[in-house]
Each structure stands twice: as C-alpha cells, then as structure tokens.
Amino acid sequence: MKPFSPLYFIKENKARCAVLIFMIFLSFAAYLAGLYVMNVITGFEEFGEELYDSTALVFVKARDEEGFQGYRNAVEAIRQEEEVHFVDLGYYNHLNVESIMSFTVGYQSLTFISKEDFKLFCEMNDISCDVNSLSSRSAVMSERMANRLGLKVGDVLTPEEFSGVSETFTLEAITNQTTYAYYFLAEGAEPMNAMVLNTGLEKSEFAVYLDCLEEQYPVRMHGYEEDKAETDRTFSFLPKIYIAVLVLLAVIMAVTVNAVFVGVYQSRTFEFAVYRAVGMGKRKITGKIVGELLWMEGIALIGGGVLFVLGLYLFNHLVLYPKGLYLDYFNNVALFGLVLCNVIILVPLILTRCRQMHRADICEY
C-alpha cells in the first residue's frame, strides 16, 4: 500500500483510528434520539393508515336541524351505494396510554353495535378475530395495546378504572395488528357515530367518492389524509425541537472530536512537511486528509450502523415489546438528524485539518 494512500495511515495506526472511529460512531445517538422523538408521530401515522385504509368516519358538520337532516340524507345516499357499506357506531370509548417519552396519548377507537358490521370490518382489514365468540360487551385489542395497558384476555375494563370507557367491557380477543388498535362491541347500543366501509371501490375512487359526499351534503368525512394532517398539526413541534437540540449537541460533539483530531494531526506535522518537501501540492495533501477522514467516517457509519441495528433489535425484543413499546428501525427525520450531525462534525474537521497540514514546513525541523 502506498504511503500517500488514505488507507495507509489507518492501517498503520489501527488503535488510534479505532478511538477516532468510535467518537464518530457516537453520532448515532442523534439517530436514536430522532427515533425516540418521532415514535409518537409514527405510531399515530401507522395506526391511522391501518384504520383508515378502507374506511372513513362520518360526522355532522353543523349540530342543528338542517345539519342533522343533511346527515340523514347523506346516510340514505350511502346506503344506496352498492360499492360501500354504511356502519352505525356507538358511543365513543377511548383508552389512553403512556408513550415512550412518558406523556399520555390516546388513539382512535370504534364502538360497533353489530357483530356483523365488526366482522366485515375485520375481514376487510385482515384483522384476525373470532367475532362470533364475542359477547355483547366485548373489548378487542392488539397485543401492543394490551401489553401497554397490562391487560390480558378475560380482564374487565370498568369506567372507574378507565375514565374514557362508557360502561363495563371484558377484553375477549387479541388481534394480530402491530399498532395501538382497540375496539368495543356494544350490541343494541344507540347509534352515535357512523363509518363507511369501502367494499368495492379502488382506493383512489373511494377518496373521490368521499369528496363528493362532502360537496353534496353537510357532512365531514374523516379518512387517512385528514387523520395524518391532524397528527402533523398536533405534533409539529416535536421535529423542530429535535433539530434545534440536535444542532446544539452536534456543535459540542464537533468541538470535542476536532480537539482529539488536533492532537493526532499535530503529531503528523513532520510527515506532511516531508510530503510538501518532495513536491506534493496542497490539492494532494487535501485529498489525503479528506480520504482518511471519509474512510473513518464510512467505517463508523457502516460498522456502527450494523451494531446499532443489532442493539436496537435486542432492546426492542427484550425490553420494549413486553411493555407494549417499540422503536422503529428507520425514520426520515432521524436519518436527517444523523446526516446533519455528521456534516456539522466532518466539514469543520476537514477544513481545520487541511489548513493545519498546509502550513507544515520542513524547514522548521
């Protein structure tokens, strides 16, 4: 290997470079922080995408006689459409859970007043649940939701223990869903809300159909896009706070890493002075320094990424999943944070080390 090669220094100084690579690897803390911060948002997005994949909730726009009459007209029109199915829903029951960031959040629930409607809903959304075995006052949850609440099949949910529950329900089934999903069955209850199930339209056609209903009748159709927009509005402050804190921490890391590299390259001043003495120009010196730093950066990100994913996998399965919590393995905001952190560290490092080595003079030795 040629001495001028960027890999030559790394090969000849493995222990020293391992320390430097480890310091760069610490930037994965930015990625982990991003996963934590975005966990609540992604949880709502996954839940909304699953819940509203083929459904939409129907709401009255104005709670007056004209509004209610328009709602009844919309319901009649929906019932006559062969490609969709109208479902009456009962009183809105809800349960709150503590997020991974230790603040309380609540997810949308549906209270069905007919087994047939709930069975159709499960079949359309590939939800594994033996609806026929449910009683008239049943609760159904995903495993994640049940674990987060510390519940198991047979446990009773009472209004005294769960303030958002209108009456006593028994948890009778755990679904195969991977989100914080939960449903209630209250046969014979008074209809309070409504939902439209898409039984025959393409997804794009269903969206157009919902828009047409809103244009023709004084009703509001709540689907995935509306749910996502509401989630983005509610939690828009989280990514902003994350980026602001990240920049501050990245600057601190940049100063720390740069201080370590100062010592490393200071001891190499004579080496670069020789390079200059034998005719190596500033451009080649810059290329060697940039190559060395990028190789260390690449090793830190690739090798560290493998270790990070493995550690996160174990952390999820051994610690978080049993508690009904989880961390995603990938998130765009977290990835942006990791890249931003490394740019803030690497760019000043390259500029300062190149400037330092460009001044190396053999005459000083």
Side-chain angles (χ1 to χ4, degrees):
M1 186 180 295
K2 296 180 180 180
F4 291 163
S5 170
L7 281 174
Y8 182 80
F9 172 72
I10 298 175
K11 179 184 177 182
E12 297 298 319
N13 298 270
K14 296 184 181 67
R16 182 181 292 180
C17 289
V19 174
L20 300 178
I21 289 171
F22 175 74
M23 295 194 69
I24 297 174
F25 164 73
L26 293 178
S27 63
F28 270 97
Y31 188 74
L32 181 62
L35 296 182
Y36 263 97
V37 170
M38 297 303 294
N39 177 266
V40 176
I41 298 178
T42 55
F44 272 97
E45 289 178 345
E46 290 172 357
F47 170 77
E49 188 172 12
E50 183 175 63
L51 175 62
Y52 297 114
D53 183 51
S54 58
T55 67
L57 300 180
V58 188
F59 297 100
V60 179
K61 267 190 177 179
R63 303 188 70 82
D64 53 27
E65 182 56 36
E66 183 179 351
F68 285 117
Q69 182 57 49
Y71 174 81
R72 288 190 287 270
N73 292 338
V75 170
E76 183 62 28
I78 294 170
R79 291 187 186 278
Q80 293 177 6
E81 174 61 53
E82 296 181 355
E83 302 297 332
V84 300
H85 181 74
F86 180 81
V87 175
D88 278 316
L89 299 175
Y91 179 82
Y92 175 65
N93 295 281
H94 74 275
L95 298 169
N96 294 326
V97 297
E98 191 175 85
S99 71
I100 200 169
M101 295 182 69
S102 298
F103 59 82
T104 302
V105 294
Y107 292 85
Q108 177 76 45
S109 75
L110 301 173
T111 302
F112 292 86
I113 60 178
S114 163
K115 279 188 180 182
E116 290 72 23
D117 287 338
F118 185 40
K119 185 176 182 179
L120 178 60
F121 174 81
C122 290
E123 290 174 351
M124 292 184 59
N125 291 280
D126 296 323
I127 300 173
S128 62
C129 178
D130 184 7
V131 178
N132 294 327
S133 66
L134 302 179
S135 65
S136 61
R137 291 297 182 273
S138 299
V140 178
M141 296 181 186
S142 65
E143 183 178 8
R144 180 175 292 171
M145 188 72 182
N147 287 344
R148 194 71 195 109
L149 293 172
L151 299 174
K152 60 183 182 299
V153 173
D155 286 346
V156 177
L157 290 76
T158 63
E160 291 76 22
E161 187 176 2
F162 300 94
S163 59
V165 177
S166 60
E167 53 186 306
T168 299
F169 291 89
T170 302
L171 179 58
E172 295 188 1
I174 302 292
T175 72
N176 60 333
Q177 296 167 278
T178 58
T179 58
Y180 291 107
Y182 60 108
Y183 314 97
F184 297 92
L185 179 61
E187 289 187 294
E190 180 182 357
M192 300 291 290
N193 299 284
M195 178 177 65
V196 180
L197 285 176
N198 177 19
T199 56
L201 297 174
E202 295 292 334
K203 195 169 184 178
S204 59
E205 294 175 338
F206 185 55
V208 172
Y209 174 73
L210 298 179
D211 290 338
C212 291
L213 283 175
E214 285 191 322
E215 291 177 1
Q216 296 178 27
Y217 304 97
V219 294
R220 181 168 65 88
M221 311 301 294
H222 188 89
Y224 172 67
E225 294 300 326
E226 292 76 17
D227 191 69
K228 186 178 185 305
E230 186 176 322
T231 298
D232 291 341
R233 283 195 303 270
T234 303
F235 298 105
S236 60
F237 67 96
L238 287 177
K240 296 175 183 177
I241 292 176
Y242 166 64
I243 296 299
V245 174
L246 174 65
V247 170
L248 177 62
L249 294 178
V251 170
I252 295 174
M253 285 189 65
V255 172
T256 304
V257 172
N258 192 71
V260 175
F261 274 84
V262 166
V264 172
Y265 277 83
Q266 187 69 43
S267 63
R268 301 177 64 194
T269 304
F270 178 74
E271 175 192 343
F272 282 91
V274 172
Y275 293 155
R276 293 197 61 194
V278 298
M280 180 181 284
K282 289 185 178 181
R283 180 175 296 181
K284 287 189 176 181
I285 290 176
T286 298
K288 178 173 173 57
I289 294 173
V290 171
E292 291 173 356
L293 295 178
L294 289 181
W295 266 103
M296 285 188 274
E297 173 82 7
I299 294 171
L301 292 181
I302 296 174
V306 172
L307 293 175
F308 178 83
V309 171
L310 177 60
L312 183 56
Y313 175 84
L314 295 174
F315 186 56
N316 268 330
H317 284 78
L318 298 179
V319 179
L320 296 183
Y321 287 171
K323 298 179 181 179
L325 296 171
Y326 71 101
L327 281 174
D328 289 316
Y329 293 94
F330 176 79
N331 180 271
N332 287 328
V333 174
L335 180 61
F336 174 78
L338 175 64
V339 173
L340 179 62
C341 183
N342 278 271
V343 168
I344 292 176
I345 292 173
L346 199 60
V347 172
L349 186 60
I350 290 174
L351 295 176
T352 54
R353 291 317 101 224
C354 288
R355 184 180 180 185
Q356 179 185 5
M357 294 301 101
H358 287 168
R359 292 177 176 178
D361 190 348
I362 194 65
C363 296
E364 295 179 1
Y365 295 91

